[in-house]
Amino acid sequence: MRVALGASLFVLGACEAFGQPAEPAPAFDVASVRVSAPAGGERGSRRDVVTPSPAGVTMTNVTLKSVVQWAYHLQSVQVTGPGWIDSDRYDITAKASGPVSTERLRAMAQTLLAERFKLVCHKETREMPAYVVSIAKGGHKLKQSEGEGEMQVKPNGARMSASFTHVTLAQLSEMLSSPLQNVVVDQTGLTGGWDFTLDMSSFTMMAQPTGIEDAIGMVIQAVNEQLGIKIDQKKVPAEVLIVDHAEKVPVEN
């Protein structure tokens, strides 16, 4: 009897699950997508700017690669595809019907990419060189954030110095991926938000970096000395998103 009842409940649940229509993909209430106009020079010479807020996201002079990277929450080296996705530029303004989380905004951006750019992509896991972040031998020097809050970065008076609050180690790893120019993997085991100050000015005053290797070395040394965080280069399995197809000219408004 118990077996029959259990089987009946399983079948009933399965019928309800398969019988219900799939939820529509999350989408922005309104979105403007345009090819970015040059401003006093080559289109690719300006910096990508992505500004999310609870009401939506504004992207100025962004490459398609940057949009995909933000939408799928990946680091730059984890997105690959045709060469033009890293050169052609766009301006995007997208608004939600009400306040939503950043993760919801990212999901909405994925829908926008599929609808406006006809994006088709797939993910693979590849063994690749990466930087692994762990706690240094003497322990970390981060201060646990108090209460709840979003990540904030405030430049200090000194050149190349800033204060960071409510930063998770995943967010720190994501920020480090740009100067280190590689995938950065968090293996510290630290959870929650943290406060710290990072000052690169003393390093650049002592010796100007002559190349990318010098700059990377300075970042690794500063993070180790000031934050008690060790950065090592290793080969790790990492997720990579491959753009199979996308339209250069998006569906506009």
Side-chain angles (χ1 to χ4, degrees):
M1 180 67 179
R2 288 181 180 176
V3 174
L5 178 59
S8 299
L9 290 173
F10 174 81
V11 172
L12 178 61
C15 289
E16 288 178 350
F18 285 105
Q20 292 175 350
E23 290 187 10
F28 291 108
D29 192 48
V30 61
S32 168
V33 182
R34 299 183 185 280
V35 174
S36 181
E42 290 297 323
R43 217 163 40 200
S45 64
R46 293 179 291 152
R47 187 169 63 91
D48 302 47
V49 179
V50 179
T51 310
S53 73
V57 61
T58 301
M59 303 182 180
T60 306
N61 193 55
V62 290
T63 62
L64 184 63
K65 182 177 180 178
S66 293
V67 183
V68 172
Q69 179 188 339
W70 187 84
Y72 286 89
H73 207 177
L74 298 170
Q75 297 170 19
S76 178
V77 294
Q78 291 175 278
V79 179
T80 184
W84 66 266
I85 69 171
D86 207 13
S87 58
D88 289 43
R89 303 263 168 178
Y90 306 91
D91 295 325
I92 299 172
T93 303
K95 296 181 179 179
S97 57
V100 295
S101 67
T102 300
E103 289 310 305
R104 185 73 173 174
L105 288 176
R106 292 186 195 273
M108 291 176 172
Q110 293 176 26
T111 303
L112 182 144
L113 284 165
E115 292 178 347
R116 301 296 189 91
F117 289 90
K118 308 302 178 187
L119 177 73
V120 178
C121 59
H122 72 280
K123 291 182 178 180
E124 296 178 1
T125 299
R126 296 178 178 176
E127 191 87 4
M128 59 194 303
Y131 287 100
V132 175
V133 175
S134 60
I135 299 175
K137 190 175 181 179
H140 70 80
K141 302 175 183 179
L142 309 174
K143 177 186 175 184
Q144 187 87 55
S145 301
E146 296 181 359
E148 299 293 327
E150 294 291 324
M151 179 181 75
Q152 291 187 350
V153 181
K154 294 181 179 179
N156 296 329
R159 181 173 175 265
M160 298 184 69
S161 175
S163 297
F164 301 76
T165 55
H166 292 286
V167 180
T168 66
L169 267 294
Q171 289 170 329
L172 175 60
S173 299
E174 189 174 350
M175 286 187 285
L176 287 171
S177 69
S178 179
L180 296 179
Q181 297 194 0
N182 212 332
V183 175
V184 179
V185 180
D186 169 31
Q187 291 185 356
T188 61
L190 298 176
T191 59
W194 301 86
D195 302 343
F196 56 89
T197 296
L198 191 60
D199 185 355
M200 294 292 299
S201 58
S202 59
F203 291 89
T204 55
M205 286 172 62
M206 288 188 294
Q208 288 293 328
T210 58
I212 186 61
E213 293 301 324
D214 286 348
I216 288 174
M218 287 181 178
V219 171
I220 291 174
Q221 186 178 351
V223 170
N224 185 283
E225 293 180 0
Q226 298 176 25
L227 307 185
I229 297 295
K230 185 172 66 168
I231 302 175
D232 296 307
Q233 195 166 28
K234 299 178 182 179
K235 275 197 171 184
V236 297
E239 187 177 73
V240 177
L241 185 145
I242 296 94
V243 174
D244 300 306
H245 173 81
E247 299 289 340
K248 280 190 177 185
V249 180
V251 177
E252 296 194 351
N253 314 308

